[in-house]
Amino acid sequence: MALSRLPLLTSDNYYQDDTYMDVSSFKPFLQCEAAAYAKYHDQYKPSKPKSGLDPLIFGNFIHSYFESDESHKAFLQKPDVIDEMHIHKSNGEVTAKLKQAYSEDGLANRMIKTLEDEPLFDDLYMPGDKEVIVTGEINGFAWKGKIDSLNLERGYFCDLKTVDDLLKKHWIEGKHYPVSFAEERGYFMQIALYQELIYQNYNKWLQPFIFAVSKQDVPDHDLYDFDTDEIREILDEQIETIKDKQQRVFDVIKGNVKPTRCEHCEYCRATKKLTGSTHITDIELR
Ligand SMILES: [Zn+2]
């Protein structure tokens, strides 16, 4: 499809749209194509985290608070955040009881308060335009992103992340040392893409920041910058990875090539069938 004929994205159709690629759909294909394909085509739902809370909904609850009163009010009506509905016998009025995590003194509101009490957050995150959708192209492929807080005037943009524990060690395939949440979740690729899409739309290279707030009982928070020459190289590599892999990912999604199984992930374990035996001395350690 010619890029000029692609649909206009709005906050209503952003998540349903599948004509543009986004980092959270793309990155799983770099880890395990079989799992990513099954998830992309709704053939497989990954097991829920122990908290029972969908991390995307949880994160969006916090984003909507800082976006606008209307967005947050609309969010409070969503079935995902409601525990049960009460119909009052006297007047038939219906009120919603929110799930514990979203209640007034619940975790989500404690995380919001943590950010609200931070002067740097007030100075950097609050003035920008919120949830700005940007689209563009990388070597002929259409990409999209949603900028949490965009400040063209002052020359930067911020992404807001909710994280279990900011300092936790994460282990990823191919690395023999632990990495940070930012590396484990592919945030370098997301930031690099956002910087590129903003440039394509506004002709400006903006400085990226990540505000992160933790899901601990007493939430931690921090502000991360990308302001070194070393990081430029890392960000450029991320765009190169997108260029190298996007044709293959597109072909897998379309069913033109068979997705490769990693044989280690949750999906592969759940669907594994043996084709023979492994010699006892050949057990591959990870
Ligand atoms: Zn797998």
Side-chain angles (χ1 to χ4, degrees), residues 2 55 66 76 86 90 94 99 113-114 158 184 202 215 232 251 280:
F66 294 109
L76 295 175
H86 289 289
S90 52
V94 181
K99 285 180 182 167
K113 177 133 196 341
T114 301
C158 301
E184 195 256 347
Y202 302 103
K215 297 181 185 174
R232 181 72 264 149
D251 286 341
I280 193 67

Side-chain angles (χ1 to χ4, degrees), residues 80-286:
D80 296 293
V81 304
I82 294 171
D83 192 19
E84 50 190 15
M85 304 295 283
H86 289 289
I87 302 170
H88 296 272
K89 280 183 189 146
S90 52
N91 55 7
E93 196 187 318
V94 181
T95 51
K97 182 172 171 270
L98 298 176
K99 285 180 182 167
Q100 169 59 26
Y102 301 111
S103 65
E104 213 174 319
D105 57 354
L107 180 59
N109 281 309
R110 289 204 301 278
M111 291 162 71
I112 286 171
K113 177 133 196 341
T114 301
L115 295 170
E116 266 186 327
D117 288 347
E118 170 56 60
L120 211 47
F121 185 79
D122 194 46
D123 179 43
L124 278 180
Y125 191 88
M126 292 314 289
D129 294 330
K130 306 298 185 305
E131 311 296 324
V132 180
I133 293 169
V134 283
T135 58
E137 59 106 7
I138 311 274
N139 282 6
F141 287 83
W143 282 81
K144 66 180 172 187
K146 212 185 214 186
I147 315 299
D148 291 340
S149 178
L150 176 66
N151 199 323
L152 286 171
E153 218 170 284
R154 283 164 62 186
Y156 66 86
F157 66 98
C158 301
D159 212 71
L160 176 57
K161 299 295 188 195
T162 56
V163 183
D164 291 339
D165 175 345
L166 305 184
L167 306 179
K168 200 166 117 182
K169 293 172 179 168
H170 297 268
W171 297 92
I172 57 173
E173 191 79 33
K175 290 244 163 110
H176 300 289
Y177 50 87
V179 299
S180 71
F181 73 90
E183 195 164 345
E184 195 256 347
R185 292 212 207 157
Y187 291 158
F188 291 99
M189 181 175 280
Q190 189 192 348
I191 290 293
L193 178 75
Y194 283 9
Q195 206 183 30
E196 170 68 26
L197 294 180
I198 290 168
Y199 180 75
Q200 290 186 17
N201 282 270
Y202 302 103
N203 217 21
K204 280 183 179 173
W205 283 108
L206 300 192
Q207 182 64 40
F209 289 105
I210 287 180
F211 267 106
V213 56
S214 83
K215 297 181 185 174
Q216 288 154 302
D217 284 343
V218 177
D220 193 3
H221 70 290
D222 214 332
L223 170 66
Y224 301 106
D225 70 71
F226 291 74
D227 194 11
T228 66
D229 289 341
E230 189 192 341
I231 214 77
R232 181 72 264 149
E233 214 169 275
I234 293 175
L235 295 180
D236 289 345
E237 274 170 21
Q238 301 298 317
I239 299 292
E240 287 309 309
T241 303
I242 288 176
K243 287 178 182 167
D244 285 350
K245 309 281 183 182
Q246 59 184 356
Q247 182 65 55
R248 165 87 194 172
V249 170
F250 184 78
D251 286 341
V252 171
I253 288 173
K254 291 282 164 212
N256 298 340
V257 293
K258 205 167 170 251
T260 305
R261 295 168 59 89
C262 76
E263 298 299 357
H264 304 302
C265 75
E266 188 185 291
Y267 170 81
C268 288
R269 295 199 308 268
T271 53
K272 190 172 179 179
K273 291 283 174 286
L274 299 179
T275 52
S277 57
T278 301
H279 193 266
I280 193 67
T281 60
D282 289 341
I283 299 174
E284 215 177 291
L285 302 180
R286 305 171 61 230

Side-chain angles (χ1 to χ4, degrees), residues 25-85:
S25 303
F26 184 76
K27 197 182 157 258
F29 284 92
L30 307 185
Q31 291 163 337
C32 175
E33 289 178 353
Y37 178 88
K39 193 170 158 243
Y40 188 90
H41 292 289
D42 280 330
Q43 296 164 355
Y44 169 69
K45 279 219 178 323
S47 61
K48 275 194 182 165
K50 283 190 199 94
S51 66
L53 296 170
D54 182 323
L56 183 67
I57 305 279
F58 189 83
N60 285 351
F61 178 92
I62 294 173
H63 280 80
S64 74
Y65 180 88
F66 294 109
E67 188 185 356
S68 67
D69 279 352
E70 298 82 51
S71 298
H72 197 56
K73 274 191 187 130
F75 212 92
L76 295 175
Q77 309 292 322
K78 284 188 188 258
D80 296 293
V81 304
I82 294 171
D83 192 19
E84 50 190 15
M85 304 295 283

